[in-house]
Amino acid sequence: MAERKGNLMTMREDIRVVDATIRDGGLCNDFHFTDEFVRELYKTNVQSGVDYMEFGYKASKRLFDVNDYGKWKFCDEESIRSIVGENVSDMKLCVMADVGRTDFRQDFLPKKDSVIDLVRVACYIHQIPAALEMIEYLHELGYETSCNIMAISQASTEQIDAALEMLIQSNVDIIYLVDSFGTMYPENAGKLAQKYLAYAEKGNKKVGVHCHNNQALAFANTIECMSYGVSYVDATAMGMGRGAGNCQMENMLGFLKNPKYNLYSLLRFIEHYMLPLKASGVQWGYDLQYLFTGLLNQHPRAAIAFTKEHRTDYVNFYKQLLED
Protein backbone atom coordinates (compact mmCIF):
# COMPACT_ATOMS: atom_id res chain seq x y z
CA MET A 1 0.00 0.00 0.00
CA ALA A 2 1.44 3.35 -1.02
CA GLU A 3 1.80 5.96 1.68
CA ARG A 4 -0.24 9.11 1.46
CA LYS A 5 1.64 12.32 0.84
CA GLY A 6 0.87 14.91 3.49
CA ASN A 7 -2.39 15.18 5.40
CA LEU A 8 -5.41 17.46 5.71
CA MET A 9 -3.44 20.02 7.71
CA THR A 10 -0.30 20.27 5.60
CA MET A 11 0.60 22.34 2.55
CA ARG A 12 2.19 20.80 -0.51
CA GLU A 13 4.41 22.99 -2.64
CA ASP A 14 4.18 20.58 -5.60
CA ILE A 15 0.45 21.12 -6.22
CA ARG A 16 -0.48 22.90 -9.45
CA VAL A 17 -4.10 23.96 -9.93
CA VAL A 18 -5.31 24.02 -13.56
CA ASP A 19 -8.47 25.98 -14.42
CA ALA A 20 -10.28 24.26 -17.31
CA THR A 21 -13.45 26.38 -17.28
CA ILE A 22 -13.17 27.79 -20.80
CA ARG A 23 -12.01 24.53 -22.38
CA ASP A 24 -14.29 21.96 -20.74
CA GLY A 25 -17.02 24.53 -20.10
CA GLY A 26 -16.87 25.52 -23.75
CA LEU A 27 -18.32 22.12 -24.60
CA CYS A 28 -21.57 23.37 -23.01
CA ASN A 29 -21.98 26.50 -25.15
CA ASP A 30 -19.82 25.81 -28.24
CA PHE A 31 -17.19 28.16 -26.79
CA HIS A 32 -19.34 31.26 -27.17
CA PHE A 33 -17.92 33.15 -24.20
CA THR A 34 -17.70 36.92 -24.34
CA ASP A 35 -14.27 38.55 -24.19
CA GLU A 36 -15.38 40.18 -20.94
CA PHE A 37 -16.15 36.77 -19.40
CA VAL A 38 -12.78 35.31 -20.42
CA ARG A 39 -10.84 38.42 -19.38
CA GLU A 40 -12.50 38.52 -15.96
CA LEU A 41 -11.87 34.80 -15.46
CA TYR A 42 -8.21 35.36 -16.35
CA LYS A 43 -7.96 38.15 -13.75
CA THR A 44 -9.81 36.00 -11.23
CA ASN A 45 -7.45 33.08 -11.72
CA VAL A 46 -4.40 35.31 -11.30
CA GLN A 47 -5.87 36.79 -8.11
CA SER A 48 -6.88 33.33 -6.85
CA GLY A 49 -3.38 31.89 -7.20
CA VAL A 50 -4.37 29.40 -9.92
CA ASP A 51 -1.24 27.97 -11.55
CA TYR A 52 -2.47 27.29 -15.11
CA MET A 53 -5.44 28.54 -17.13
CA GLU A 54 -6.62 26.48 -20.09
CA PHE A 55 -8.07 28.70 -22.81
CA GLY A 56 -9.65 26.05 -25.01
CA TYR A 57 -8.77 23.76 -27.90
CA LYS A 58 -6.42 24.10 -30.83
CA ALA A 59 -8.94 22.50 -33.16
CA SER A 60 -8.42 22.08 -36.88
CA LYS A 61 -10.20 24.70 -38.97
CA ARG A 62 -10.37 22.13 -41.75
CA LEU A 63 -12.44 19.78 -39.59
CA PHE A 64 -14.49 22.33 -37.66
CA ASP A 65 -16.32 25.30 -39.19
CA VAL A 66 -15.22 28.51 -37.49
CA ASN A 67 -18.76 29.87 -37.96
CA ASP A 68 -20.19 27.15 -35.72
CA TYR A 69 -18.02 27.84 -32.67
CA GLY A 70 -16.60 30.60 -30.54
CA LYS A 71 -12.92 31.43 -30.94
CA TRP A 72 -11.84 29.35 -27.94
CA LYS A 73 -12.42 26.21 -30.00
CA PHE A 74 -9.36 27.30 -31.99
CA CYS A 75 -7.29 29.49 -29.63
CA ASP A 76 -5.46 31.57 -32.20
CA GLU A 77 -2.43 33.30 -30.73
CA GLU A 78 -3.95 36.75 -31.29
CA SER A 79 -7.17 35.70 -29.53
CA ILE A 80 -5.28 34.71 -26.38
CA ARG A 81 -3.05 37.78 -26.50
CA SER A 82 -6.13 40.03 -26.76
CA ILE A 83 -7.01 38.79 -23.27
CA VAL A 84 -3.63 38.40 -21.56
CA GLY A 85 -1.23 40.65 -23.48
CA GLU A 86 2.21 39.27 -22.63
CA ASN A 87 0.78 37.52 -19.54
CA VAL A 88 2.94 39.33 -17.03
CA SER A 89 1.73 37.10 -14.20
CA ASP A 90 2.93 33.99 -12.40
CA MET A 91 0.10 31.97 -13.94
CA LYS A 92 0.92 29.84 -16.98
CA LEU A 93 -1.40 29.36 -19.96
CA CYS A 94 -2.37 26.16 -21.71
CA VAL A 95 -4.50 24.76 -24.52
CA MET A 96 -5.72 21.27 -25.39
CA ALA A 97 -4.93 19.52 -28.66
CA ASP A 98 -6.94 16.40 -29.52
CA VAL A 99 -5.18 13.68 -31.45
CA GLY A 100 -6.61 13.62 -34.98
CA ARG A 101 -8.43 16.92 -34.58
CA THR A 102 -5.52 19.35 -34.58
CA ASP A 103 -3.29 20.62 -37.37
CA PHE A 104 -0.43 20.68 -34.90
CA ARG A 105 2.34 21.13 -37.44
CA GLN A 106 0.66 24.23 -38.87
CA ASP A 107 -1.11 25.81 -35.90
CA PHE A 108 1.59 25.98 -33.20
CA LEU A 109 4.24 28.67 -33.22
CA PRO A 110 7.63 28.04 -31.63
CA LYS A 111 7.26 28.56 -27.86
CA LYS A 112 9.47 31.65 -27.98
CA ASP A 113 6.83 33.35 -30.16
CA SER A 114 3.81 32.16 -28.20
CA VAL A 115 2.16 33.14 -24.93
CA ILE A 116 1.10 29.48 -24.43
CA ASP A 117 3.21 27.51 -21.95
CA LEU A 118 1.67 24.02 -21.83
CA VAL A 119 -0.03 21.96 -24.55
CA ARG A 120 -2.26 19.18 -23.23
CA VAL A 121 -2.41 16.40 -25.81
CA ALA A 122 -5.66 14.44 -25.41
CA CYS A 123 -6.11 10.95 -26.80
CA TYR A 124 -7.81 7.61 -26.29
CA ILE A 125 -5.55 4.79 -25.25
CA HIS A 126 -5.31 3.28 -28.73
CA GLN A 127 -4.02 6.64 -30.00
CA ILE A 128 -0.90 6.74 -27.82
CA PRO A 129 1.53 6.42 -30.78
CA ALA A 130 -0.10 9.43 -32.48
CA ALA A 131 -0.08 11.33 -29.18
CA LEU A 132 3.65 10.65 -28.80
CA GLU A 133 4.30 12.07 -32.27
CA MET A 134 2.54 15.28 -31.24
CA ILE A 135 4.26 15.41 -27.85
CA GLU A 136 7.73 15.10 -29.34
CA TYR A 137 6.99 17.75 -31.98
CA LEU A 138 5.63 20.19 -29.37
CA HIS A 139 8.53 19.45 -27.02
CA GLU A 140 10.94 20.37 -29.81
CA LEU A 141 9.05 23.66 -30.23
CA GLY A 142 9.77 24.37 -26.55
CA TYR A 143 6.40 23.72 -24.88
CA GLU A 144 5.61 21.87 -21.70
CA THR A 145 3.43 18.91 -22.63
CA SER A 146 0.95 16.58 -21.00
CA CYS A 147 -0.75 13.44 -22.24
CA ASN A 148 -4.38 13.23 -21.13
CA ILE A 149 -5.54 9.65 -21.74
CA MET A 150 -9.32 9.91 -21.94
CA ALA A 151 -11.93 7.35 -20.90
CA ILE A 152 -9.34 5.40 -18.93
CA SER A 153 -12.16 3.52 -17.18
CA GLN A 154 -12.72 1.56 -20.40
CA ALA A 155 -9.08 0.54 -20.86
CA SER A 156 -7.65 -2.80 -19.75
CA THR A 157 -4.85 -3.14 -17.22
CA GLU A 158 -2.54 -4.36 -19.98
CA GLN A 159 -3.35 -1.36 -22.17
CA ILE A 160 -2.75 1.07 -19.31
CA ASP A 161 0.59 -0.52 -18.41
CA ALA A 162 1.74 -0.45 -22.03
CA ALA A 163 0.67 3.18 -22.49
CA LEU A 164 2.40 4.33 -19.30
CA GLU A 165 5.58 2.49 -20.25
CA MET A 166 5.60 4.25 -23.63
CA LEU A 167 4.95 7.64 -22.06
CA ILE A 168 7.72 7.46 -19.49
CA GLN A 169 10.17 6.82 -22.35
CA SER A 170 9.02 10.05 -24.05
CA ASN A 171 9.63 13.75 -23.43
CA VAL A 172 6.14 14.31 -21.98
CA ASP A 173 6.16 16.30 -18.72
CA ILE A 174 2.81 15.30 -17.17
CA ILE A 175 0.67 12.18 -17.51
CA TYR A 176 -3.02 12.74 -16.78
CA LEU A 177 -5.47 10.28 -15.25
CA VAL A 178 -8.81 11.22 -16.84
CA ASP A 179 -12.15 9.87 -15.62
CA SER A 180 -14.05 11.03 -18.70
CA PHE A 181 -17.24 9.15 -17.88
CA GLY A 182 -17.33 10.00 -14.16
CA THR A 183 -17.52 6.32 -13.36
CA MET A 184 -14.77 6.02 -10.74
CA TYR A 185 -14.96 5.92 -6.95
CA PRO A 186 -12.22 7.14 -4.61
CA GLU A 187 -10.95 3.60 -4.01
CA ASN A 188 -10.30 2.69 -7.66
CA ALA A 189 -9.27 6.24 -8.61
CA GLY A 190 -6.70 6.11 -5.80
CA LYS A 191 -5.36 2.72 -6.91
CA LEU A 192 -5.04 3.90 -10.49
CA ALA A 193 -3.29 7.06 -9.32
CA GLN A 194 -0.76 4.90 -7.48
CA LYS A 195 -0.08 2.98 -10.70
CA TYR A 196 0.43 6.21 -12.66
CA LEU A 197 2.71 7.58 -9.94
CA ALA A 198 4.82 4.43 -9.81
CA TYR A 199 5.47 4.67 -13.56
CA ALA A 200 5.94 8.44 -13.44
CA GLU A 201 8.60 8.16 -10.76
CA LYS A 202 10.61 5.84 -13.01
CA GLY A 203 10.41 8.36 -15.86
CA ASN A 204 10.74 11.53 -13.77
CA LYS A 205 7.26 12.69 -14.83
CA LYS A 206 4.45 14.46 -12.99
CA VAL A 207 0.91 13.08 -12.74
CA GLY A 208 -2.33 15.03 -13.11
CA VAL A 209 -5.99 14.19 -12.59
CA HIS A 210 -9.14 15.33 -14.41
CA CYS A 211 -12.45 14.07 -13.02
CA HIS A 212 -16.05 14.30 -14.19
CA ASN A 213 -18.91 14.63 -11.75
CA ASN A 214 -21.46 12.06 -12.97
CA GLN A 215 -21.68 10.45 -9.54
CA ALA A 216 -21.02 13.67 -7.59
CA LEU A 217 -17.51 12.34 -6.85
CA ALA A 218 -15.24 14.58 -8.95
CA PHE A 219 -13.88 16.48 -5.95
CA ALA A 220 -13.63 13.36 -3.77
CA ASN A 221 -11.77 11.46 -6.49
CA THR A 222 -9.45 14.40 -7.13
CA ILE A 223 -8.35 14.80 -3.52
CA GLU A 224 -8.00 11.01 -3.14
CA CYS A 225 -5.57 11.00 -6.07
CA MET A 226 -3.78 14.03 -4.65
CA SER A 227 -3.33 12.25 -1.34
CA TYR A 228 -1.00 9.72 -3.00
CA GLY A 229 1.10 12.35 -4.76
CA VAL A 230 -0.78 13.47 -7.88
CA SER A 231 0.21 17.11 -8.21
CA TYR A 232 -1.61 18.61 -11.22
CA VAL A 233 -5.32 18.99 -10.46
CA ASP A 234 -8.02 20.21 -12.86
CA ALA A 235 -11.03 22.17 -11.68
CA THR A 236 -13.59 24.60 -13.13
CA ALA A 237 -15.69 27.47 -11.79
CA MET A 238 -18.93 25.99 -10.42
CA GLY A 239 -17.80 22.68 -11.93
CA MET A 240 -18.68 23.88 -15.45
CA GLY A 241 -17.92 21.22 -18.03
CA ARG A 242 -19.37 18.74 -20.46
CA GLY A 243 -22.44 16.96 -19.11
CA ALA A 244 -22.18 16.55 -15.33
CA GLY A 245 -19.18 18.88 -15.28
CA ASN A 246 -15.91 18.68 -13.37
CA CYS A 247 -14.32 19.09 -9.98
CA GLN A 248 -15.49 22.46 -8.63
CA MET A 249 -12.78 25.11 -8.35
CA GLU A 250 -14.47 26.57 -5.27
CA ASN A 251 -14.10 23.19 -3.52
CA MET A 252 -10.46 22.95 -4.55
CA LEU A 253 -9.43 26.45 -3.46
CA GLY A 254 -11.31 26.01 -0.21
CA PHE A 255 -9.53 22.72 0.44
CA LEU A 256 -5.92 23.64 -0.31
CA LYS A 257 -3.85 24.95 2.62
CA ASN A 258 -1.34 26.97 0.62
CA PRO A 259 -2.05 30.66 1.42
CA LYS A 260 -1.35 31.58 -2.22
CA TYR A 261 -4.84 30.24 -3.08
CA ASN A 262 -7.67 32.69 -2.50
CA LEU A 263 -11.38 31.90 -2.67
CA TYR A 264 -12.85 35.41 -2.56
CA SER A 265 -12.03 36.49 -6.11
CA LEU A 266 -13.58 33.29 -7.45
CA LEU A 267 -16.76 33.82 -5.44
CA ARG A 268 -17.10 37.30 -6.93
CA PHE A 269 -16.64 35.86 -10.42
CA ILE A 270 -19.30 33.22 -9.75
CA GLU A 271 -21.75 35.87 -8.54
CA HIS A 272 -21.20 38.23 -11.47
CA TYR A 273 -20.54 35.83 -14.35
CA MET A 274 -21.27 32.15 -13.66
CA LEU A 275 -24.75 32.62 -12.22
CA PRO A 276 -25.89 34.83 -15.14
CA LEU A 277 -24.39 32.30 -17.58
CA LYS A 278 -26.41 29.50 -16.01
CA ALA A 279 -29.52 31.69 -15.89
CA SER A 280 -29.12 32.32 -19.64
CA GLY A 281 -29.81 28.64 -20.27
CA VAL A 282 -26.33 27.11 -20.51
CA GLN A 283 -26.60 23.70 -18.84
CA TRP A 284 -24.13 21.58 -16.91
CA GLY A 285 -23.86 19.77 -13.60
CA TYR A 286 -24.86 16.64 -11.74
CA ASP A 287 -28.25 15.17 -12.58
CA LEU A 288 -29.78 11.70 -12.61
CA GLN A 289 -29.20 11.06 -16.30
CA TYR A 290 -25.47 11.63 -15.79
CA LEU A 291 -25.47 9.41 -12.72
CA PHE A 292 -26.83 6.59 -14.87
CA THR A 293 -24.11 6.84 -17.53
CA GLY A 294 -21.50 7.10 -14.78
CA LEU A 295 -22.82 3.99 -13.04
CA LEU A 296 -22.77 2.09 -16.33
CA ASN A 297 -19.35 3.38 -17.48
CA GLN A 298 -20.87 4.83 -20.64
CA HIS A 299 -20.12 7.96 -22.65
CA PRO A 300 -22.49 10.75 -21.53
CA ARG A 301 -23.70 11.58 -25.05
CA ALA A 302 -27.08 9.90 -24.43
CA ALA A 303 -27.49 11.80 -21.17
CA ILE A 304 -26.56 15.07 -22.88
CA ALA A 305 -29.26 14.45 -25.50
CA PHE A 306 -31.74 13.58 -22.71
CA THR A 307 -30.93 16.92 -21.05
CA LYS A 308 -31.31 18.94 -24.25
CA GLU A 309 -34.73 17.39 -24.82
CA HIS A 310 -35.81 18.44 -21.29
CA ARG A 311 -36.84 14.87 -20.54
CA THR A 312 -37.62 13.66 -17.03
CA ASP A 313 -38.59 10.04 -17.74
CA TYR A 314 -35.67 8.73 -15.70
CA VAL A 315 -36.99 5.15 -15.38
CA ASN A 316 -37.38 4.73 -19.15
CA PHE A 317 -34.00 6.30 -19.79
CA TYR A 318 -32.24 4.04 -17.26
CA LYS A 319 -33.88 0.94 -18.73
CA GLN A 320 -32.85 2.08 -22.22
CA LEU A 321 -29.22 2.46 -21.13
CA LEU A 322 -29.26 -0.99 -19.54
CA GLU A 323 -30.50 -2.51 -22.80
CA ASP A 324 -27.95 -0.77 -25.05
Side-chain angles (χ1 to χ4, degrees):
M1 182 72 173
E3 288 189 13
R4 295 186 189 267
K5 190 171 180 179
N7 58 52
L8 291 174
M9 290 297 293
T10 55
M11 182 188 95
R12 277 176 46 198
E13 296 281 2
D14 62 317
I15 295 295
R16 299 290 181 269
V17 176
V18 181
D19 170 59
T21 305
I22 301 301
R23 201 275 307 164
D24 212 323
L27 297 168
C28 303
N29 67 347
D30 290 332
F31 303 89
H32 289 300
F33 296 101
T34 65
D35 282 2
E36 179 187 355
F37 183 99
V38 178
R39 189 171 290 112
E40 290 303 314
L41 179 59
Y42 169 74
K43 292 178 186 174
T44 295
N45 283 329
V46 171
Q47 293 162 359
S48 299
V50 167
D51 299 285
Y52 288 79
M53 177 174 172
E54 189 174 43
F55 271 77
Y57 286 95
K58 272 280 194 184
S60 167
K61 292 177 183 175
R62 294 183 301 105
L63 297 178
F64 299 95
D65 189 334
V66 295
N67 297 310
D68 293 339
Y69 300 93
K71 56 190 170 184
W72 308 111
K73 177 80 168 177
F74 308 99
C75 286
D76 292 335
E77 187 75 23
E78 56 268 27
S79 298
I80 301 176
R81 286 185 181 273
S82 72
I83 302 296
V84 308
E86 291 295 322
N87 185 32
V88 287
S89 76
D90 293 332
M91 183 175 71
K92 293 183 176 183
L93 310 181
C94 57
V95 295
M96 183 164 279
D98 277 344
V99 166
R101 298 180 177 183
T102 305
D103 298 323
F104 65 96
R105 294 188 187 278
Q106 288 79 47
D107 289 347
F108 282 96
L109 300 170
K111 168 64 191 100
K112 63 181 178 60
D113 301 322
S114 175
V115 76
I116 298 166
D117 299 287
L118 164 67
V119 181
R120 302 188 344 145
V121 175
C123 67
Y124 292 103
I125 201 151
H126 66 278
Q127 298 172 316
I128 289 290
L132 289 170
E133 180 189 19
M134 289 175 63
I135 286 163
E136 297 304 330
Y137 178 82
L138 293 162
H139 173 78
E140 287 300 314
L141 288 184
Y143 293 99
E144 297 175 41
T145 58
S146 76
C147 185
N148 296 39
I149 312 173
M150 300 181 289
I152 202 66
S153 58
Q154 293 200 325
S156 69
T157 299
E158 292 76 14
Q159 286 177 312
I160 296 170
D161 287 336
L164 293 174
E165 186 62 46
M166 293 166 77
L167 285 166
I168 65 171
Q169 304 297 329
S170 76
N171 280 306
V172 77
D173 298 293
I174 312 146
I175 306 170
Y176 256 86
L177 192 171
V178 184
D179 183 18
S180 304
F181 298 168
T183 197
M184 290 186 185
Y185 298 97
E187 183 178 4
N188 53 354
K191 286 179 179 174
L192 197 51
Q194 291 173 58
K195 177 193 286 283
Y196 275 57
L197 288 158
Y199 275 96
E201 188 175 354
K202 290 194 294 182
N204 195 29
K205 312 298 184 188
K206 300 294 186 184
V207 177
V209 62
H210 177 94
C211 295
H212 278 258
N213 206 37
N214 297 61
Q215 300 188 82
L217 288 171
F219 176 58
N221 289 341
T222 299
I223 62 175
E224 180 72 3
C225 293
M226 288 169 64
S227 77
Y228 289 109
V230 168
S231 51
Y232 281 70
V233 293
D234 285 16
T236 62
M238 279 184 71
M240 187 184 188
R242 184 201 63 190
N246 304 107
C247 175
Q248 298 91 336
M249 182 65 79
E250 52 273 24
N251 285 52
M252 186 55 60
L253 295 184
F255 168 77
L256 291 168
K257 299 300 182 284
N258 191 329
K260 72 174 272 191
Y261 298 117
N262 182 317
L263 189 57
Y264 290 102
S265 296
L266 176 61
L267 296 180
R268 277 195 295 272
F269 181 80
I270 287 173
E271 283 183 34
H272 295 299
Y273 291 94
M274 297 305 296
L275 293 180
L277 184 66
K278 197 142 202 180
S280 74
V282 180
Q283 292 180 297
W284 73 88
Y286 170 82
D287 210 333
L288 285 173
Q289 59 270 32
Y290 296 117
L291 168 64
F292 301 156
T293 59
L295 285 171
L296 299 173
N297 194 14
Q298 293 184 13
H299 193 288
R301 62 174 65 89
I304 292 170
F306 180 98
T307 305
K308 287 181 177 176
E309 293 164 13
H310 304 288
R311 289 171 58 186
T312 55
D313 56 324
Y314 296 115
V315 172
N316 285 335
F317 182 62
Y318 188 46
K319 287 195 310 190
Q320 175 192 329
L321 291 174
L322 285 168
E323 291 164 2
D324 285 350

